[in-house]
Amino acid sequence: MILITGATGYLGRALGENLVHRGHPVRALVRAGSESRAPRGVERALGDALQADSVAAAAAGCHTLVHLVGTPHPASWKQREFERIDRASLFASVDAAVRQGVGHFVYVS
């Protein structure tokens, strides 16, 4: 099972659908209210990418975690948003992956 955080975004939807098409089981961590934007054919796990416990629950049984959460169109004036979202979600995902014994961690920045 492959967990994708940021699965409702541009890259996440394309990656999720491509992996499913290739026969891989995929789980998408999605916020409540965003379920319909998840890639077709994936298992949906409701959660918060900023909370390690939430990501860890979604990562249970996963061998790979692909972290795609990020501030769209990064710019220097978005530093606070970057720290609040990108940094916090990355730390949450790394913590979750370590706790769940995920063997592969892919981070796209």
Side-chain angles (χ1 to χ4, degrees):
M1 179 67 73
I2 300 168
L3 175 64
I4 302 174
T5 65
T8 60
Y10 176 75
L11 289 176
R13 282 193 310 268
L15 176 63
E17 289 180 6
N18 189 285
L19 289 170
V20 167
H21 178 74
R22 292 173 179 237
H24 298 282
V26 177
R27 182 178 300 147
L29 179 66
V30 296
R31 292 176 292 201
S34 304
E35 300 93 340
S36 66
R37 293 181 35 213
R40 288 174 291 189
V42 304
E43 176 184 315
R44 292 164 178 83
L46 289 179
D48 181 350
L50 304 179
Q51 301 295 321
D53 290 341
S54 186
V55 181
C62 293
H63 60 75
T64 301
L65 192 159
V66 180
H67 181 73
L68 299 175
V69 173
T71 301
H73 312 291
S76 59
W77 57 270
K78 292 184 175 183
Q79 180 179 349
R80 285 190 182 141
E81 185 176 354
F82 178 83
E83 290 176 6
R84 185 178 66 81
I85 296 171
D86 297 51
R87 185 174 191 263
S89 65
L90 176 60
F91 286 178
S93 287
V94 169
D95 180 88
V98 169
R99 282 198 268 160
Q100 290 292 0
V102 173
H104 303 281
F105 189 93
V106 180
Y107 171 53
V108 178
S109 173

